[in-house]
Amino acid sequence: MKIKTICAWCGELISERYCPETKNYQVLAKNGEMVSHGLCPACRLAIEAKYGLNKNRGSEDV
């Protein structure tokens, strides 16, 4: 069974792995593939910039 992780914002393929099939994989998979969502590095940076997140990353003053 193949598991794909796709960016929830832009649709870019983040990763693709093969995993052992479980007894319930057919319920969760479509055409033998399962899809999960995350954020690609470019969208993560864009979201951080847009909403002002992680401005103090690495700072001990936080």
Side-chain angles (χ1 to χ4, degrees):
M1 171 176 61
K2 189 186 306 183
I3 297 178
K4 291 183 176 183
T5 304
I6 298 173
C7 180
W9 282 54
C10 71
E12 178 182 339
L13 179 65
I14 298 171
S15 68
E16 186 174 271
R17 298 179 187 190
Y18 287 93
C19 297
E21 295 176 356
T22 64
K23 68 177 186 174
N24 296 322
Y25 87 95
Q26 290 180 337
V27 174
L28 302 171
K30 183 175 181 179
N31 297 325
E33 293 182 353
M34 289 180 60
V35 176
S36 179
H37 291 88
L39 290 174
C40 70
C43 288
R44 182 184 58 82
L45 290 174
I47 292 166
E48 287 177 356
K50 181 176 181 176
Y51 295 105
L53 304 174
N54 291 324
K55 288 187 176 184
N56 294 320
R57 182 182 288 176
S59 174
E60 294 180 15
D61 298 332
V62 177

